[in-house]
Amino acid sequence: MPSLFVGQMTDLIFTERELVQSLKEYIEAEEMKLEAVKSWANKLDMLTRVSTLDPEGFLAHPVNAYKLMKRLNTEWSELESLVLQDPSDGFISNMSVHRQYFPDEEDEKGAAKALIRLQDTYKLDSESFSKGKLPGVRYNAELTVDDCFDMGKLAYNENDYYHSVLWMQQALRQMDSGEDAKTPKADILDYLSYSVYQMGDLPRAIELTRRLVAIDPSHQRAGANLHYFERLLSKELRDRGQGQQEPADEKPIQLDTYERPKDYLPEREVYEALCRGEGVKMTEKRRSRLFCRYQDGSRSPRLLLKPMKEEDEWDSPHIVRFLEALSDEEIEKIKELAKPKLARATVRDPKTGVLTVANYRVSKSAWLEGEDDPVIARVNQRIEDVTGLTVDTAELLQVANYGVGGQYEPHYDFSRVRDVNYLSSLQMSDVEAGGATVFPDFGAAIWPRKGTAVFWYNLFKSGEGDYRTRHAACPVLVGSKWVSNKWIHERGQEFRRPCGLTEVD
């Protein structure tokens, strides 16, 4: 064998060794990928076993709803990319079939914003959400460091530094306690330090930026920010006549550490307090004047043998609740009819008159006609019997579903150009926590009770709007709120509710 050939063979031996090493690395990578996929499958198998036993109950926990959105929008796509490294036709075709039904980025953002909305309304700190410490929950659900980071980043990208601070702080707290995460600590400190600066807390922003520089000395933005923050603080100290820098507050950032920015809603604080059950203005003396009675609808033949149970919820304006207004079978039928038609609820733009979605109304709704099913016709007749008003000129029966964080901020149900109306609201579900209907003007909170109907007049007998009835649907904290609403127009009631002689009759 010629020496050159032997030399070439020797080279090939080393080449083969490199190939074997490469093969082993490939096998290791494949095994790691397979183990990762197995881990995913096992985790999701356990999760779906629980979630499919009681889908509505599982999704009643807002964290479960958020994490479902996040999994389907973000994490399943990551798994798809992993599998695509060695394409699996079955998995990919399955993904293609189902992807059209997956939530998109806006849905994931919406679920995250719902958690923030609940956090504000019910004064829940980020740890309460992260550890699943919510009232009335039946399922345990926790947020990871990466979940908290994503929440904070969402707020940051919308210049909402108040909530960015709360969630980045929670991510940092969990990481400091030893929890593993994909997110680097430097990224958390980067977002947190700048958000704290935006909240006007320079000493803490400096302390956090120093921690960031200690972790990553080459972080150019951190170094520049640190010098900038220090110059600003020195100037502030000189302006106040202080020569020494105040030490940073080492207490963890809580809900009340910084003041929550004001927004467009003037009665925000009153509205949210009522949602929490605070500030309700029904005194014991007033409560003693509320009564229960049987309502036969002025001797309606349909109510003579089985009158409706009626109880007062509020004295002025008068709000009543009818008990056993809907049976469980009727509720399920109405939900069955509505589900295929549910769409994001809209509001009418006061300037253009065009129906559009709005951030202050977060729900899905459907409209049902009496011809859709005998149950709808029967419910319409029942509303007419107990209220004494004709529903011939009323709007269709609206079925609304308020899921995670679902709400409708304070609004009037009547048109301010004297058009409509009176409202009958049929409660189709109990809600574990949250979901009250509140009236900020006079301090009432009406809580959902399955199978009951709540009724009030939005107009005085004169036809003028009763501005006290500005009301709101509080965010659902835990549970899913289903209601059927029937807006009964003023037109057609001339002989059933005669006009009053004064404006406020």
Side-chain angles (χ1 to χ4, degrees), residues 197-433:
Y197 156 69
Q198 288 288 344
M199 294 307 297
D201 190 347
L202 274 172
R204 196 191 294 259
I206 290 171
E207 185 270 332
L208 290 166
T209 308
R210 285 174 178 165
R211 285 185 63 182
L212 172 54
V213 171
I215 292 173
D216 185 1
S218 63
H219 199 297
Q220 293 184 346
R221 185 170 57 254
N225 284 349
L226 181 57
H227 292 309
Y228 178 65
F229 296 160
E230 288 175 337
R231 285 200 306 272
L232 281 181
L233 184 58
S234 296
K235 183 178 184 302
E236 285 187 9
L237 293 174
R238 286 196 305 271
D239 292 344
R240 295 201 301 262
Q242 294 177 241
Q244 192 172 4
Q245 179 175 319
E246 298 177 359
D249 191 342
E250 295 183 1
K251 294 180 180 179
I253 298 168
Q254 306 292 347
L255 281 173
D256 57 355
T257 300
Y258 304 123
E259 183 178 353
R260 179 179 155 198
K262 303 293 183 184
D263 66 8
Y264 56 87
L265 192 63
E267 67 260 69
R268 171 75 64 189
E269 291 184 7
V270 174
Y271 153 55
E272 292 183 349
L274 288 170
C275 290
R276 296 190 297 270
E278 303 168 7
V280 178
K281 297 180 180 178
M282 178 58 70
T283 64
E284 286 303 317
K285 183 176 181 181
R286 291 176 64 181
R287 190 178 301 279
S288 67
R289 295 197 290 265
L290 303 181
F291 296 97
C292 300
R293 64 192 69 83
Y294 284 105
Q295 171 65 266
D296 64 6
S298 299
R299 300 187 65 76
S300 164
R302 284 171 292 275
L303 294 178
L304 275 176
L305 294 179
K306 188 181 179 182
M308 187 78 72
K309 299 172 184 176
E310 179 184 332
E311 60 183 32
D312 294 328
E313 282 278 354
W314 206 263
D315 51 1
S316 180
H318 194 204
I319 302 174
V320 298
R321 186 190 297 268
F322 299 105
L323 280 63
E324 300 175 10
L326 289 175
S327 67
D328 288 347
E329 291 75 17
E330 288 172 330
I331 289 171
E332 291 307 311
K333 186 61 179 179
I334 292 171
K335 288 165 68 173
E336 176 189 326
L337 294 168
K339 282 180 179 179
K341 301 181 179 182
L342 285 174
R344 175 71 189 269
T346 57
V347 296
R348 192 172 298 280
D349 188 305
K351 295 181 180 178
T352 66
V354 176
L355 289 174
T356 182
V357 298
N359 290 332
Y360 57 82
R361 185 177 191 181
V362 185
S363 64
K364 287 193 171 185
S365 61
W367 299 86
L368 302 179
E369 301 185 51
E371 292 78 12
D372 289 338
D373 192 272
V375 166
I376 307 303
R378 192 160 66 242
V379 169
N380 285 339
Q381 183 63 61
R382 194 172 302 150
I383 291 172
E384 184 169 294
D385 290 343
V386 298
T387 63
L389 302 170
T390 180
V391 297
D392 290 344
T393 56
E395 297 186 22
L396 301 180
L397 187 70
Q398 183 207 47
V399 181
N401 178 224
Y402 295 83
V404 52
Q407 65 162 13
Y408 194 178
E409 290 181 353
H411 62 283
Y412 299 102
D413 276 340
F414 59 83
S415 167
R416 286 186 256 185
V417 291
R418 291 190 59 176
D419 178 23
V420 293
N421 54 18
Y422 321 122
L423 175 68
S424 179
S425 178
L426 296 104
Q427 314 292 314
M428 297 168 59
S429 62
D430 291 318
V431 176
E432 286 89 337

Side-chain angles (χ1 to χ4, degrees), residues 87-217:
S88 171
D89 294 339
F91 173 76
I92 299 306
S93 61
N94 228 2
M95 286 287 292
S96 300
V97 169
H98 294 290
R99 179 171 293 283
Q100 59 183 313
Y101 304 111
F102 281 9
D104 58 19
E105 186 176 357
E106 284 305 308
D107 293 320
E108 184 179 337
K109 284 183 179 179
K113 289 178 181 178
L115 291 191
I116 290 174
R117 188 159 56 246
L118 294 172
Q119 180 178 30
D120 288 341
T121 303
Y122 298 104
K123 288 189 174 180
L124 298 166
D125 57 37
S126 302
E127 186 174 13
S128 295
F129 270 117
S130 184
K131 301 306 177 186
K133 299 174 183 175
L134 302 179
V137 297
R138 287 177 284 168
Y139 296 90
N140 186 41
E142 296 186 358
L143 293 170
T144 64
V145 169
D146 299 312
D147 292 331
C148 294
F149 175 78
D150 289 341
M151 292 286 295
K153 189 175 179 181
L154 169 78
Y156 181 94
N157 289 337
E158 300 200 352
N159 300 320
D160 180 2
Y161 300 109
Y162 172 79
H163 291 104
S164 180
V165 165
L166 294 176
W167 286 101
M168 289 299 175
Q169 164 78 10
Q170 182 60 28
L172 185 62
R173 181 187 291 123
Q174 290 180 210
M175 180 172 280
D176 285 344
S177 68
E179 185 179 320
D180 292 331
K182 293 186 297 184
T183 305
K185 181 179 284 191
D187 288 358
I188 298 174
L189 287 168
D190 190 14
Y191 281 98
L192 179 57
S193 59
Y194 190 76
S195 297
V196 166
Y197 156 69
Q198 288 288 344
M199 294 307 297
D201 190 347
L202 274 172
R204 196 191 294 259
I206 290 171
E207 185 270 332
L208 290 166
T209 308
R210 285 174 178 165
R211 285 185 63 182
L212 172 54
V213 171
I215 292 173
D216 185 1

Side-chain angles (χ1 to χ4, degrees), residues 433-481:
T437 298
V438 298
F439 297 78
D441 185 79
F442 54 90
I446 312 298
W447 301 93
R449 287 161 57 187
K450 184 178 181 181
T452 68
V454 176
F455 175 78
W456 68 85
Y457 289 104
N458 291 314
L459 305 181
F460 292 110
K461 285 186 177 181
S462 63
E464 294 296 326
D466 186 346
Y467 285 86
R468 298 173 300 171
T469 61
R470 181 172 166 85
H471 62 285
C474 296
V476 176
L477 177 57
V478 178
S480 181
K481 178 182 176 184

